[in-house]
Amino acid sequence: MASRMMIRNAPSLLAILLLSSSLSVRAQESVTPAPALEFLGFRAGASLGDVSTALTRVRGGALKCQGAKVDKRVSECRADFTDPAAGRPLELWLSAVDSMSSVLMLSGTVSGDQLILWRRTLERAYGQVDANVHGPQWMMQWVRQGRMIRLTWRLESGRKLASVSLIDGHVLDAWGEHRGARRPTRR
């Protein structure tokens, strides 16, 4: 009798097993983070160690950091390096919270070809977006799971200035929540 019940219910059991394994795979896929936003080997939300490693890869100078006076968790860091594809000098500036970059910017004077390469690289990696114009400045941005990458450029004194900013909203949010908890209440 028990074996007849098992045989009769086998399709239902099989369906339940298949559904639960399908749900398990979907749950795993939904928690898999999206690829990090990155440019020239620099990643949004990277640790200072990872930024130093990326600088080594592009034959850049040492990352020099200075702690903030008001909030010891915050550091401002700078370095110079050369764009590996164009061979032109660039500057790196970043703000880090607890040794994690919250805002990282790569900037410099670029050639027209270099700017086109930057734009195409970002569009291939993250999709096409419209360029927005604000006065003399052009901007394109991509947002993924609390992180943003922004390409900005403008002409200034006959030179083309461009920057790529990598912003990690999670690092900034955590810093903001921590600061809010320590802020005295006003009466």
Side-chain angles (χ1 to χ4, degrees):
M1 176 111 171
S3 63
R4 269 189 264 163
M5 282 183 62
M6 292 281 287
I7 292 171
R8 197 174 330 134
N9 292 326
S12 298
L13 289 172
L14 181 60
I16 290 170
L17 287 173
L18 288 174
L19 178 62
S20 68
S21 99
S22 171
L23 290 174
S24 173
V25 168
R26 281 194 205 133
Q28 288 173 356
E29 289 172 354
S30 69
V31 294
T32 303
L37 294 177
E38 66 177 70
F39 184 71
L40 298 181
F42 298 95
R43 187 171 65 6
S47 69
L48 293 180
D50 288 344
V51 172
S52 291
T53 300
L55 277 167
T56 302
R57 272 188 245 126
V58 293
R59 297 187 186 105
L63 190 62
K64 295 177 182 112
C65 298
Q66 183 174 7
K69 291 180 175 120
V70 175
D71 188 338
K72 300 298 180 198
R73 298 174 57 209
V74 177
S75 300
E76 182 178 304
C77 306
R78 296 182 181 277
D80 295 321
F81 70 102
T82 302
D83 183 330
R88 296 177 77 108
L90 295 173
E91 296 176 7
L92 177 146
W93 171 88
L94 74 83
S95 177
V97 178
D98 293 330
S99 298
M100 301 300 287
S101 66
S102 56
V103 178
L104 185 150
M105 184 169 57
L106 313 170
S107 63
T109 302
V110 299
S111 69
D113 289 341
Q114 186 179 11
L115 179 59
I116 289 168
L117 178 62
W118 284 14
R119 182 175 176 167
R120 286 184 181 158
T121 299
L122 290 166
E123 287 179 326
R124 265 193 306 273
Y126 308 113
Q128 294 198 351
V129 296
D130 292 331
N132 294 311
V133 183
H134 299 283
Q137 186 164 289
W138 291 72
M139 184 265 301
M140 300 171 76
Q141 72 180 22
W142 297 262
V143 178
R144 303 284 187 282
Q145 295 184 343
R147 294 179 179 91
M148 181 180 72
I149 189 165
R150 177 183 287 165
L151 170 63
T152 307
W153 68 95
R154 71 180 184 278
L155 285 175
E156 187 175 289
S157 303
R159 299 179 309 148
K160 197 168 287 189
L161 303 176
S163 67
V164 173
S165 302
L166 298 148
I167 295 111
D168 190 302
H170 305 290
V171 175
L172 289 170
D173 288 346
W175 176 61
E177 288 170 7
H178 175 79
R179 287 178 52 86
R182 296 181 64 208
R183 192 174 290 157
T185 57
R186 293 183 181 170
R187 293 183 185 207

